[in-house]
Amino acid sequence: MTTAKKPSSISKHVTENSLLHPHFDKVSHWRLISKLQSYKINHVLIEWIVDFLKARKLSGIPQGSVLGPLLFLIYTNNLMECCNESYIYVFVDDAKIYRHIQCPEDCKLLQYTLAGLQS
């Protein structure tokens, strides 16, 4: 009879940090490639990244790679620029956009910020 090995502290750490995965999975490959092109990244490198992303069956950035976090940072790099009308709190792969609502105009400005993230 075989017994299961007790997870090492490293594998436990990786498992606990798997809570970050949903944000990596929501990255649009098309938008990521568009951003890389807008930064004037060499087209050969972009083609290599496209091939790297094609190996993934789901949308998002492959996890467990050295390239994954870098691509995620590139994807979220201009998040601060999109939030001129509201405030943003960013920590690791989480962002909260908010505005103190004191009048109807504040609601419109917050909605304007959120709409800007979609484009």
Side-chain angles (χ1 to χ4, degrees), residues 3-74:
T3 58
K5 289 183 178 179
K6 184 178 178 184
S8 70
S9 61
I10 293 173
S11 63
K12 182 181 177 193
H13 177 72
V14 170
T15 303
E16 288 172 355
N17 284 327
S18 66
L19 297 173
L20 301 177
H21 294 185
H23 299 290
F24 280 79
D25 290 337
K26 293 180 181 177
V27 170
S28 161
H29 289 176
W30 178 84
R31 284 188 179 194
L32 175 61
I33 298 305
S34 293
K35 280 194 172 196
L36 292 171
Q37 291 170 337
S38 74
Y39 291 138
K40 308 246 187 275
I41 303 291
N42 181 294
H43 71 89
V44 174
L45 181 57
I46 291 175
E47 289 174 16
W48 182 83
I49 291 171
V50 168
D51 288 342
F52 174 74
L53 294 172
K54 280 183 186 176
R56 181 160 168 81
K57 303 242 185 284
L58 303 171
S59 65
I61 293 177
Q63 299 151 31
S65 67
V66 174
L67 189 56
L70 176 62
L71 292 175
F72 188 76
L73 285 173
I74 291 170

